[in-house]
């Protein structure tokens, strides 16, 4: 499977595959870079990810192990450009489990070589304005065939199969019958012409879907033969043996007579109400696992639209949420936005009855098996294209409607009882996830509002200084941090600068951050030395005894004397870029964190500030992450500041943040204050 990562997006999209059908690959057609999958991990960490078997897959990626419990070995690698400055996508390769559990040197070199060549091609295309845009469906590459038989040879093979006393049929990668002999048709009780182009488990429900499809998928992916028995009504037991290959699966069918019971698993008769195939059930298992990880409404929308459409082979999907007595479009697939715009804001109570309003008011799913069926109930309802069947599924959580899921089809659909039952259950699952996500979004917004309200809304303009400030949150829910920054006018030609980080990620940390910032601001206007400002702020914090510690870097800039005085309380050292362009870490005499002991001293350091000097003050989220050497990342950040050609403060700040995003996982909030002394 080959994936691309469109510019500015965090979603990998499947563009090409070989050796499997689109149906099997559908659960992975779109995946977020942050998801727990081998492909996403390869992109995040920019390295080859190798999974040596099903046990390792279940241990490291339990959701994938549940969704695809096949005996396979897997490799995923990022497709990167020159110097790996950018990841353009990823490739995923799957082998049968008989492959060694570790890749050979030749395999590693082949994968690496392909990824670099593909990365260069994509990089060159992008430079020429020809970005690779994913199509609506991935391209399926034809498998390599050893040779194409001539007419006489093909006829001889057909006659050979017809003379066999056992049933034979061939399935392609999509599970469709491409050949069947007369014996197979007679054993199955159906004409050979009726089987061609059909999937056996769909044409013959007595085969016990989803068991047949499940075994077909297992054989195709693991390249291991398997067998089972099934009962053709009324009582004829048949033995099926599946032998996989690169282009599909061969099936041998024989009467099941005299074989010891237990050698082959038996497929029982299907439910009289119909049954779903294995693929929709796998999709639903995948969706259920994915929804447990969804924290925001958009997460829920993305997972539902990605999984439900292929699971139920729908041509259209619309997911709506209830807000203030109206329906709002949250996400969709297979519709033009202009068509859905007319339903955005539709009231739940309307003088003109609609299927959406009825489904929500009665809290009962509505199924329309054809357009005629739809028109009989709602003759005025608009029709999109040639859609011919619909399911309106109300999303009910704790007894109240939270949204609506609409599926539509281009062909009439009977919606058997088994499918209606699973769709109704699915609606309940989505409703719970959507309700939980809306609560998260509300808490998240309240937390961010509190945090941003404690930060400066705008910084003062200081003649002779170019200033850029950035704040990037990384927490979830109410896990807000205590990072802060400030620029304080102390006179016409002087200013104070500060950046700090309160221990913890909660409302208490944010409240203490506001107190620290206020205290620093009050002392700064008294023209005290930086060491004195920190000492007085420290005494205040120890008196308050909040139980949290704070790191802080404070500086006083004198633009008349062209110098700066700096002091630190356990904070990461600033970066300084000199007028000649060289940048380095500015090591300052250390002081204790604020709030530990009331009598701490904070030495002050003087440095010159000639025109063109740049100072970068930041919190540890810019350079620190588990398993990463902080000295290495700080030195790397200084090198990047040296190499930056632009002197504009805003551009330099953006460049530092972009570099950090490529090298340090975003596990903590980031505050950045960048000062450039103008010429």
């Amino acid at each position: 499977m080959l994936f691309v990562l469109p510019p500015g997006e965090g979603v990998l999209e499947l563009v090409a595959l070989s050796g499997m059908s689109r149906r099997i690959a559908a659960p992975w057609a779109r995946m977020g870079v942050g998801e727990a999958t081998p492909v996403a991990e390869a992109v995040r960490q920019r390295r080859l990810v190798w999974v040596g078997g099903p046990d390792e897959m279940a241990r490291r990626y339990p959701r994938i192990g549940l969704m695809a419990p096949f005996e396979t070995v897997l490799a995923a690698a990022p497709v990167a450009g020159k110097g790996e400055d950018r990841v353009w996508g990823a490739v995923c390769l799957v082998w049968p489990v008989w492959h060694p559990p570790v890749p050979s040197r030749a395999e590693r070199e082949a994968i690496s070589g392909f990824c670099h060549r593909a990365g260069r091609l994509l990089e060159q295309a992008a430079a020429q304005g020809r970005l690779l845009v994913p199509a609506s469906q991935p391209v399926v590459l034809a498998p390599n065939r050893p040779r194409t038989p001539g007419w006489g040879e093909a006829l001889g093979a057909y006659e050979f199969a017809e003379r066999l006393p056992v049933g034979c049929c061939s399935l392609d990668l999509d599970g469709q019958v491409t050949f069947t002999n007369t014996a197979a048709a007679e054993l199955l009780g159906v004409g050979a012409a009726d089987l061609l182009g059909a999937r056996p488990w769909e044409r013959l429900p007595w085969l016990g879907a989803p068991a047949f499809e499940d075994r077909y998928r297992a054989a195709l992916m693991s390249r291991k033969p398997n067998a089972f028995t099934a009962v053709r009504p009324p009582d004829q037991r048949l033995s099926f043996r599946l032998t996989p290959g690169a282009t599909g699966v061969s099936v041998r069918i024989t009467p099941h007579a005299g074989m010891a019971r237990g050698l082959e698993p038996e497929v029982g008769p299907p439910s009289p109400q119909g049954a779903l195939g294995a693929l929709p059930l796998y999709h639903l298992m995948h969706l259920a696992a994915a929804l447990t990880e969804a924290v925001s409404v958009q997460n829920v929308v993305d997972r539902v639209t990605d999984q439900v459409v292929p699971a139920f082979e729908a041509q259209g999907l619309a997911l709506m949420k209830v807000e203030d007595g109206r329906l709002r479009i949250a996400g969709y697939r297979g519709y033009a936005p202009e068509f859905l715009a007319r339903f955005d804001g539709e009231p739940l109570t309307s003088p003109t009855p609609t299927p959406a309003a009825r489904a929500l008011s009665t809290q009962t799913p509505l199924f329309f098996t054809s357009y005629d069926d739809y028109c009989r109930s709602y003759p005025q309802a608009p029709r999109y294209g040639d859609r011919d069947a619909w399911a309106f599924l109300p999303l009910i959580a704790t007894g109240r409607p939270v949204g609506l899921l609409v599926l539509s089809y281009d062909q009439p659909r009977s919606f058997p009882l088994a499918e209606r039952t699973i769709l109704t259950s699915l609606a309940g699952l989505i409703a719970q996830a959507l309700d939980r996500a809306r609560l998260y979004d509300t808490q998240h917004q309240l937390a961010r509002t509190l945090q941003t309200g404690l930060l400066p809304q705008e910084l003062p303009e200081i003649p002779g200084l170019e200033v850029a400030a950035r704040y990037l949150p990384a927490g979830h829910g109410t896990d807000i941090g205590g990072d802060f920054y400030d620029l304080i006018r102390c006179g016409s030609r002087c200013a104070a600068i500060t950046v700090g980080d309160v221990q913890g990620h909660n409302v208490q940390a944010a409240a203490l951050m506001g107190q620290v910032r206020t205290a620093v601001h009050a002392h700064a206007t008294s023209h005290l030395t930086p060491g004195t400002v920190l000492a007085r702020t420290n005494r205040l914090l120890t008196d308050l005894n909040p139980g949290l510690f704070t790191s802080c870097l404070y500086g006083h800039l004198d633009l008349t004397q062209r110098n700066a005085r700096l002091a630190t309380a356990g904070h990461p050292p600033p970066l300084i870029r000199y007028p000649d362009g060289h940048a380095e870490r500015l090591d300052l005499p250390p002081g204790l964190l604020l709030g530990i002991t009331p009598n701490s001293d904070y030495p002050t350091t003087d440095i010159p500030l000639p025109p063109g000097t740049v100072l970068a003050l930041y919190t540890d989220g810019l350079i620190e992450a588990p398993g990463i050497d902080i000295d290495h990342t700080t030195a790397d950040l200084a090198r990047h500041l040296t190499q930056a050609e632009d002197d504009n403060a805003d551009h330099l700040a953006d460049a530092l943040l972009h570099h950090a995003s490529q090298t340090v996982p975003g596990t903590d909030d980031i505050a950045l204050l960048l000062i450039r002394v103008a010429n």
Side-chain angles (χ1 to χ4, degrees):
M1 294 182 285
L2 180 65
F3 298 84
V4 297
L5 184 61
E9 297 187 19
V11 177
L12 289 155
E13 300 202 35
L14 181 64
V15 294
L17 68 152
S18 179
M20 69 177 75
S21 69
R22 293 191 185 101
R23 286 166 53 85
I24 294 178
W28 301 281
R30 298 178 81 251
M31 69 177 78
V33 173
E35 291 188 26
T37 65
V39 175
E41 183 176 320
V43 170
R44 289 196 306 271
Q45 299 185 6
R46 301 191 178 193
R47 65 175 181 86
L48 174 69
V49 173
W50 186 271
V51 182
D55 292 342
E56 185 179 354
M57 179 69 78
R59 185 175 64 255
R60 293 173 56 186
Y61 309 99
R63 195 173 78 187
I64 304 300
L66 178 68
M67 176 66 184
F70 305 127
E71 297 185 26
T72 56
V73 171
L74 180 145
V79 174
K82 183 179 180 182
E84 299 188 356
D85 291 335
R86 153 125 191 224
V87 176
W88 296 93
V91 63
C92 179
L93 305 171
V94 182
W95 288 269
V97 75
W98 43 255
H99 186 283
V102 294
S104 67
R105 179 177 178 180
E107 285 171 333
R108 285 183 177 271
E109 291 176 350
I111 296 171
S112 175
F114 165 79
C115 289
H116 285 305
R117 289 193 299 273
R120 284 198 299 270
L121 286 173
L122 292 173
E123 190 173 40
Q124 292 167 4
Q128 298 169 6
R130 297 185 294 111
L131 288 172
L132 179 58
V133 179
S136 58
Q137 292 286 345
V139 175
V140 179
L141 305 177
N144 291 327
R145 299 179 184 273
R147 60 189 178 86
T148 301
W151 169 253
E153 190 176 7
L155 181 60
Y158 170 79
E159 293 175 345
F160 168 80
E162 279 293 296
R163 288 191 293 266
L164 290 175
V166 297
C168 300
C169 65
S170 178
L171 310 182
D172 63 15
L173 295 176
D174 200 34
Q176 295 175 325
V177 176
T178 58
F179 170 80
T180 182
N181 67 354
T182 301
E186 291 175 350
L187 287 169
L188 297 175
V190 66
D194 293 332
L195 278 177
L196 290 176
R199 299 182 182 95
W201 51 88
E202 295 175 354
R203 180 65 181 82
L204 304 167
W206 57 265
L207 276 175
F212 189 107
E213 184 181 3
D214 194 30
R215 284 167 174 78
Y216 163 78
R217 282 160 45 90
L220 188 66
M221 295 300 295
S222 66
R223 294 294 195 269
K224 291 179 63 176
N226 63 51
F228 67 96
T229 62
V231 178
R232 172 191 163 189
D235 56 4
Q236 183 179 7
R237 297 177 66 205
L238 298 176
S239 175
F240 294 80
R241 182 168 183 82
L242 284 64
T243 304
T247 58
V249 174
S250 297
V251 183
R252 188 189 67 181
I253 309 168
T254 57
H256 189 88
M259 183 174 290
R261 187 172 181 84
L263 292 182
E264 294 180 349
E266 182 164 340
V267 173
S271 165
Q273 293 86 7
L276 287 179
L279 194 60
L281 293 180
Y282 277 121
H283 276 286
L284 293 178
M285 292 166 63
H286 192 197
L287 176 61
L291 287 177
T292 63
E293 301 172 1
V295 292
S296 69
V297 171
Q298 192 57 50
N299 290 155
V300 174
V301 170
D302 291 342
R303 282 157 172 76
V304 170
T305 53
D306 287 346
Q307 295 297 323
V308 174
V309 169
F312 292 93
E313 299 180 322
Q315 280 68 56
L317 175 149
L319 180 62
M320 309 178 191
K321 54 185 179 179
V322 174
E323 290 183 353
D324 301 323
R326 294 181 178 273
L327 282 173
R328 298 292 181 185
I329 303 297
Y332 58 91
R333 288 282 190 277
Y335 283 103
E338 298 80 12
F339 178 81
L340 291 181
R342 71 180 73 180
F343 303 104
D344 195 27
E346 177 182 318
L348 298 185
T349 57
S350 173
T352 303
T354 65
R358 179 185 167 193
L360 287 169
S361 63
T362 62
Q363 299 190 8
T364 304
L366 299 180
F367 299 94
F368 301 98
T369 60
S370 67
Y371 183 59
D372 291 340
D373 185 21
Y374 190 53
C375 284
R376 278 193 294 271
S377 300
Y378 300 95
Q380 304 301 321
R383 181 186 189 186
Y384 183 75
D386 56 355
R387 298 293 158 86
D388 216 9
W390 292 263
F392 290 83
L393 306 170
L395 308 180
I396 309 299
T398 61
R400 57 187 176 83
V402 297
L404 180 73
L405 178 66
V406 182
L407 300 177
S408 61
Y409 298 84
D410 287 347
Q411 300 291 331
R413 193 176 183 91
S414 62
F415 295 110
L417 180 59
E419 186 173 53
R420 296 187 184 209
T421 301
I422 203 73
L423 282 172
T424 303
S425 301
L426 172 67
L429 184 69
I430 296 172
Q432 294 174 12
L434 189 61
D435 195 42
R436 185 173 61 248
R438 291 174 66 176
L439 177 61
Y440 162 83
D441 282 347
T442 300
Q443 293 175 331
H444 184 78
Q445 182 60 37
L446 288 173
R448 290 303 169 204
T449 300
L450 169 63
Q451 188 168 34
T452 54
L454 294 172
L455 292 171
Q457 301 305 302
E458 61 180 19
L459 298 177
E461 293 186 7
I462 309 294
L465 287 182
E466 292 180 16
V467 182
R470 301 288 186 271
Y471 178 79
L472 296 180
H476 299 286
T478 56
D479 291 341
I480 57 177
D483 293 30
F484 66 92
Y485 62 87
D486 211 347
L487 173 68
I488 307 158
R489 184 193 299 275
C490 298
S492 60
R493 295 287 293 170
C494 61
I497 55 175
T498 185
V499 66
D501 186 3
V502 178
Q503 173 193 16
H505 286 81
N506 49 41
V507 175
Q508 184 183 6
L512 183 59
M513 175 264 283
Q515 293 175 312
V516 173
R517 180 173 165 253
T518 300
V520 171
H521 202 288
H523 294 313
T525 56
S526 301
H527 297 277
L528 301 172
T529 65
T532 303
V533 170
L534 291 181
R536 291 190 176 184
T537 304
N538 175 61
R539 283 195 292 274
L540 172 64
L541 290 189
T542 53
D543 288 342
L544 293 174
N545 191 24
L548 299 175
F549 305 133
T550 303
S551 70
C552 185
L553 177 64
Y554 178 84
H556 184 271
L557 311 181
D558 189 331
L559 299 178
T560 301
Q561 300 296 324
R562 298 286 186 180
N563 78 320
R565 309 190 74 193
L566 303 171
T568 181
H571 198 78
L575 300 180
I576 182 170
R577 190 171 90 164
Y578 301 103
D580 64 1
H582 171 67
E584 64 182 9
R585 182 175 68 179
L586 187 60
D587 290 318
L588 303 174
L592 284 177
L593 294 169
L594 303 178
I596 294 180
T597 177
N599 300 317
S600 298
D601 291 327
Y602 299 94
T604 298
T605 301
D606 290 352
I607 62 169
L609 278 185
T613 302
V614 174
L615 280 175
L617 284 62
Y618 52 89
T619 54
D620 55 8
L622 193 69
I623 57 170
E624 186 174 309
I628 296 179
D629 187 332
I630 191 171
D631 291 331
H632 173 76
T633 54
T634 305
D636 190 42
L637 194 66
R639 283 193 298 271
H640 192 72
L641 184 58
T642 299
Q643 296 167 1
E645 298 178 357
D646 201 323
D647 282 339
N648 180 277
D650 279 308
H651 294 171
L652 288 175
D654 290 338
L656 291 181
L657 289 177
H658 177 74
H659 176 73
S661 69
Q662 303 296 313
T663 56
V664 180
T667 58
D668 200 359
D669 295 354
I670 296 174
L672 171 65
L673 182 64
L674 192 139
I675 305 290
R676 181 180 179 275
V677 181
N679 294 323

